[in-house]
Amino acid sequence: MSLDKAMQALYVDLIRSVGIPGVVEGLGGAYRDDLMKLATLNKIQLFYSQSTGFRSQDLLRKHNIFLDTLSELCLLFNDNNISYAVFKTIKPFPNLPSDIDILIDEKHIQVASTLLGSNGYVAMEKNMFCVTMHKETNVDLYLQPSVSNVPYLSKDILMYKRKKCRIGNIDFFALSNEAEFIAVAAHSIYKEQMLTLNDYITLAVLANNANIDQIIRMANTLNVLDGIKLALQVCGTISETLSMPLRLNTLRHLLGVSTIPQINSLPYKFSFKSIAIILMKRTALDSNARRYVPKIIAANISIRQLRKLLAHANRETY
């Protein structure tokens, strides 16, 4: 990783402190304010806090709200036979998601929204592919993963081999490791245009517990291989510095992906041009996405939408 030496040392210290669950044990160490600042930007603040034994009541409170909300949602959906899968939300380490993302069958979206409404959730926003509801935290109900009304993944393919999981006493449906890998990587590229250490660690753990060939086949089927390769360039650059035994590197080498010459900071922000090119290419290959192009253009030519796009591009994190 080509960084200013002092900056590089900070990132290496942070990653070595938390480790890669199931691959490399974290070293922990004393709590440091400078590392917590980096951890917060990279969405691993709870992970870092717990790795160092630092108890933050605010972080624990937010984590409990997340778990209570997830439990309530899954119980409602399970009891009412809603076809769903939690995705991009449950991580292989202590996590504070900004919202709870759920893929849901189109024929169940109205029933699910009504169920949440009757349990105190308020509809906040709605577009062609997502309904956002809120009580103590935001819940995004997705018909398709999308950005600016452009679907970039197929729900049906992602959910084809969904699985039943458990966290504590919470039973829920989730994607297979291969589908979750695709969802996390594609989200960081197409939706957020940046990659955090949260993304990197998640992808590293998923790759270590997934069928690499199936990831490649699914990425090809979904026409997102270009996006996956872009994410792997950054992941590979981080991995080279850490010298950790990750199957993420195997995937990168199988796809012939090189590293990036220089990373100045993490989260790593991709250029708008690079994302726009691969998103347009993907849309051209996807007959379903092409159907929505006229509506997409109409929905994105307002001053309000332009301001949202500029704010999105100038964020430090997401």
Side-chain angles (χ1 to χ4, degrees), residues 175-186 202-208 210 212 215 228 232 248 251:
L175 304 181
S176 67
N177 289 341
E178 294 78 16
E180 182 72 4
F181 182 97
I182 297 291
V184 171
T202 300
L203 292 173
V205 175
L206 286 169
N208 262 48
I212 297 296
I215 290 176
I228 301 303
L232 287 173
L248 197 59
L251 175 59

Side-chain angles (χ1 to χ4, degrees), residues 49 117 136 148 179 205 215 233 245 286-287:
S49 174
E136 289 189 284
S148 298
V205 175
I215 290 176
Q233 283 186 321
D286 186 337
S287 58

